[in-house]
């Protein structure tokens, strides 16, 4: 049980109305992306010039497919959080800010979905 | 409240660039570049899912000189953002915040990201195939 009063808890959330959740999510995805990025570069550089059959066999293994899906999820979540901060810093018109944030969020979702579905296609059909 | 034309901080055009400010701006810049660069990653995966023809087309595009140039810039942006991101995580933990440490870690990030970029391209050319 928390000893803080409701007003104290609400104030703790600050002007962003969400406390440290944005900050924390950005750090957690950053920590996840350290090993995932190193794996990605090592894996891609060792498959330079692969033809479609080699690519399908490689991405089509459960471990590689799983790592790719984790990479895509963490990347687009982290990218959205970062782009959101940039947009909130530099857009001074409220309407332009909201429209851009919605468009960026939509683009991140669509791209992540295409990426994950492509990996799953290679896993199940490749 | 109606002070719409007040000067915004920081005055980028007045201050002399320093390692600290340049690396900070570069972190944001590479972050934006990497977000745009995800288009290439998703295109590559979608082309592979599309079949041999679309994948061969994607490999040809990425393997062209302009594709390689983009990819080289993207590799540096990725390693810079990774190294400087780790530097940020140390700061978040309260470590390395003294000015001499900030400069030391800054130069470590610069040399580290350049070295990792060159090493991964050497590995790509001589380690993996092509």
């Amino acid at each position: 049980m928390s000893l803080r009063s409701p007003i104290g808890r609400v104030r703790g959330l600050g002007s962003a109305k969400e406390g440290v959740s944005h900050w924390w999510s950005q750090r957690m995805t950053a920590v996840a992306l350290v090993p995932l990025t190193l794996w990605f570069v090592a894996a891609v550089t060792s498959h330079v010039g692969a033809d479609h059959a080699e690519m399908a066999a490689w991405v089509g293994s459960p471990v590689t497919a799983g790592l790719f899906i984790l990479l895509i999820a963490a990347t687009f979540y982290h990218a959205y959080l970062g782009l959101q901060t940039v947009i909130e810093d530099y857009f001074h018109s409220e309407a332009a800010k909201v429209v851009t944030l919605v468009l960026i969020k939509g683009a991140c979702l669509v791209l992540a979905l295409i990426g994950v579905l492509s990996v799953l296609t290679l896993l199940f059909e490749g | 409240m109606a002070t719409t034309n007040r000067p915004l901080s920081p005055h980028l055009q007045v201050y002399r660039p320093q390692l600290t400010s340049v690396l900070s701006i570069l972190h944001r810049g590479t972050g934006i570049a990497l977000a745009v660069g995800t288009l290439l990653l998703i295109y590559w995966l979608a082309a592979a899912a599309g079949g041999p023809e679309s994948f061969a087309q994607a490999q040809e595009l990425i393997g062209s000189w302009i594709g390689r140039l983009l990819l080289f810039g993207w590799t540096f942006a990725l390693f810079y953002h990774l190294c400087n991101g780790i530097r940020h995580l140390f700061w978040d933990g309260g470590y390395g915040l003294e000015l001499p440490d900030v400069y030391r870690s800054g130069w470590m990030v610069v040399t580290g990201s350049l070295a990792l970029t060159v090493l991964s391209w050497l590995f790509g050319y001589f380690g993996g195939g092509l």
Side-chain angles (χ1 to χ4, degrees):
Chain A
M1 199 188 84
S2 170
L3 292 173
R4 298 182 70 186
S5 66
I7 186 78
R9 234 180 352 256
V10 167
R11 279 181 182 151
L13 294 177
S15 60
K17 313 285 190 289
E18 53 159 21
V20 295
S21 113
H22 184 285
W23 185 90
W24 185 247
S25 302
Q26 193 157 26
R27 267 64 189 176
M28 285 302 97
T29 48
V31 170
L33 281 167
V34 173
L36 286 171
T37 303
L38 291 173
W39 163 77
F40 173 70
V41 175
V44 168
T45 47
S46 51
H47 286 85
V48 170
D51 62 20
H52 184 259
E54 289 165 335
M55 174 80 177
W58 170 52
V59 182
S61 84
V63 173
T64 312
L67 286 169
F68 258 112
I69 290 168
L70 286 176
L71 176 80
I72 291 165
T75 294
F76 281 103
Y77 193 10
H78 189 81
Y80 176 72
L81 294 173
L83 291 173
Q84 186 192 350
T85 308
V86 174
I87 290 160
E88 285 170 353
D89 279 355
Y90 300 135
F91 279 60
H92 298 299
S93 142
E94 199 62 33
K97 188 194 293 181
V98 171
V99 169
T100 314
L101 283 174
V102 170
L103 288 176
I104 296 276
K105 188 175 251 181
C108 284
L109 274 170
V110 168
L111 286 172
L113 200 57
I114 295 172
V116 169
L117 291 176
S118 302
V119 171
L120 290 178
T121 303
L122 289 165
L123 178 63
F124 293 119
E125 285 182 11
Chain B
M1 283 304 281
T3 48
T4 45
N5 283 324
R6 63 189 174 188
L8 296 168
S9 174
H11 299 281
L12 293 178
Q13 67 274 41
V14 180
Y15 281 120
R16 182 173 62 87
Q18 300 160 91
L19 182 72
T20 43
S21 62
V22 169
L23 294 190
S24 171
I25 293 162
L26 206 56
H27 193 71
R28 191 161 265 208
T30 51
I32 296 167
L34 288 168
V36 177
T38 57
L39 284 168
L40 188 66
L41 170 68
I42 298 305
Y43 163 65
W44 183 62
L45 286 172
E53 292 97 55
S54 57
F55 187 65
Q57 202 178 8
Q59 289 291 72
E60 198 178 320
L61 191 80
I62 294 167
S64 68
W65 71 268
I66 188 116
R68 280 173 205 226
L69 194 67
L70 272 173
L71 212 54
F72 188 81
W74 197 70
T75 315
F76 175 73
L78 186 67
F79 278 127
Y80 176 78
H81 203 82
L82 178 74
C83 293
N84 204 50
I86 293 170
R87 184 169 172 240
H88 267 282
L89 289 173
F90 274 104
W91 286 339
D92 291 336
Y95 301 103
L97 289 163
E98 295 296 324
L99 206 49
D101 295 336
V102 169
Y103 272 85
R104 192 159 48 227
S105 61
W107 284 117
M108 278 166 67
V109 163
V110 171
T111 48
S113 46
L114 284 172
L116 284 166
T117 305
V118 172
L119 277 176
S120 54
W121 274 74
L122 286 175
F123 184 70
Y125 270 101
F126 301 112
L130 194 83

